[in-house]
Amino acid sequence: MQQRRTAAYGVLRDDGGRVLLVRGGDGSPDRGAWRLPGGDLRHAEHPAATVVRGFAAETGLAVTVAGVRAAVADVATYAAGSGLHTDRLVFDVTATDGVLQPEQGGGSARLGWFTPESAAAAPVLPFTAELLGLSGAPLPSGSSRVLPSAPMAPVPMTSAATVPAATAPGATALRHRFGAYGLVTDPAGRVLLTLIAEGYPGAGSWHLPGGGTDYGEAPETGLLRELVEESGQVGRVVRLIGVDSFHHPSRVGPEGRPLDWHTVRAIYTVVVEEPTEARVLELAGGSTARASWFGVDELSGLRLSDIAARTVAELR
């Protein structure tokens, strides 16, 4: 059984440059290990809101999100053969109010400020250590490399779902999708866009290249794969520029019935150093009708998807 979830975390530093970490308590799957504050997204919740909520619960601090730092993914495999893929979004945050204190009766047992030197002697969860360039001590016996330490309830994997379908008669099934998209340009300053095919939400709109990532796939890897499939272009990811959250509570799915969709999208800038004529390579029946290069002055005359309109606005 392949399962997925999305989580968001925050990096808070003090005046001396130390980073705040939380240590899992006895009742948490990361017991005894240190990690960034944060946790799992709720359905329809923006990842930035997850970070604010997580900081308040785990540290007692009110924070504001200053910007996105990273989007990463990892996979845990369990003895029964099931696996859990976690997409993790990490933001820089600043504290605005509150008193620093561990979560009361919750998962965080301790809070601590760490320098790279002090973290070297502490057991730090791998995703936190890798993001911050820390080298930590071995994890405590019984703790997991990722959270949680035991498989979750079965989750349908159609369209990168991470939330179980609703089972009550007449209820709208919940679906969660994590994707990676690109503001793709070439050395001449042209912008690459893809046209959404008929039968798909937003049909007839020009969209950013990209799409849902596969199980076990990192966001940047998924984006470059989609770029080839949708346009035949080979690109280079430059940097992560934003995170978008889109909730549509009654979108009709491929089965012809309404689904409660929540899509989280990591957005990158991408450069195609040697552009060619854009052409769709993915199998027939895909969501991309065609792809094309556009000059910046041509963008205002196009019908753009919501995410494409917001992203290319920075170029005008």
Side-chain angles (χ1 to χ4, degrees):
M1 176 71 69
Q2 294 180 341
Q3 305 161 54
R4 292 188 70 163
R5 70 185 188 117
T6 302
Y9 306 87
V11 177
L12 176 66
R13 296 187 184 274
D14 65 9
D15 293 339
R18 298 178 303 172
V19 64
L20 180 65
L21 301 181
V22 302
R23 192 181 74 171
D26 290 339
S28 66
D30 60 333
R31 57 190 178 277
W34 296 87
R35 62 168 171 82
L36 294 170
D40 288 359
L41 267 68
R42 294 172 177 169
H43 188 66
E45 184 177 49
H46 193 288
T50 302
V51 173
V52 173
R53 174 174 58 80
F55 256 85
E58 293 188 327
T59 74
L61 298 178
V63 299
T64 58
V65 172
V68 62
R69 168 182 286 256
V72 297
D74 50 56
V75 175
T77 303
Y78 303 105
S82 62
L84 173 64
H85 171 123
T86 304
D87 295 295
R88 303 182 192 273
L89 296 162
V90 182
F91 298 83
D92 290 311
V93 303
T94 57
T96 58
D97 200 0
V99 177
L100 192 64
Q101 59 182 0
E103 185 174 5
Q104 300 301 307
S108 61
R110 285 183 56 191
L111 303 171
W113 295 97
F114 286 85
T115 64
E117 293 74 23
S118 62
V124 180
L125 283 181
F127 86 91
T128 296
E130 291 161 9
L131 283 167
L132 300 177
L134 304 176
S135 58
L139 296 181
S141 176
S143 63
S144 173
R145 282 184 55 85
V146 296
L147 304 179
S149 59
M152 302 187 303
V155 177
M157 288 301 297
T158 13
S159 300
T162 62
V163 180
T167 56
T172 302
L174 304 182
R175 289 292 186 272
H176 183 90
R177 179 182 176 90
F178 184 89
Y181 292 80
L183 175 58
V184 182
T185 58
D186 69 0
R190 297 183 301 170
V191 179
L192 181 69
L193 297 175
T194 57
L195 185 67
I196 301 175
E198 291 299 322
Y200 289 85
S205 299
W206 289 95
H207 195 38
L208 296 180
T213 59
D214 291 338
Y215 181 89
E217 189 173 51
E220 294 184 15
T221 303
L223 170 55
L224 295 181
R225 171 186 54 77
E226 290 279 350
L227 182 61
V228 172
E229 294 175 354
E230 295 181 342
S231 67
Q233 308 300 301
V234 176
R236 173 175 58 85
V237 173
V238 179
R239 66 186 181 95
L240 179 65
I241 58 173
V243 173
D244 179 79
S245 177
F246 177 73
H247 178 223
H248 196 298
S250 58
R251 174 160 286 179
V252 176
E255 302 89 355
R257 55 189 175 85
L259 300 173
D260 187 338
W261 277 100
H262 179 210
T263 302
V264 175
R265 302 176 282 199
I267 308 168
Y268 298 83
T269 52
V270 178
V271 173
V272 175
E273 303 287 2
E274 299 181 3
T276 61
E277 180 181 356
R279 56 193 182 94
V280 179
L281 300 182
E282 64 182 337
L283 297 176
S287 60
T288 302
R290 62 189 177 98
S292 184
W293 290 99
F294 295 94
V296 174
D297 57 346
E298 299 176 288
L299 298 176
S300 59
L302 299 177
R303 177 185 170 189
L304 299 173
S305 67
D306 59 335
I307 187 175
R310 291 195 299 271
T311 305
V312 304
E314 303 297 323
L315 299 174
R316 299 176 186 172

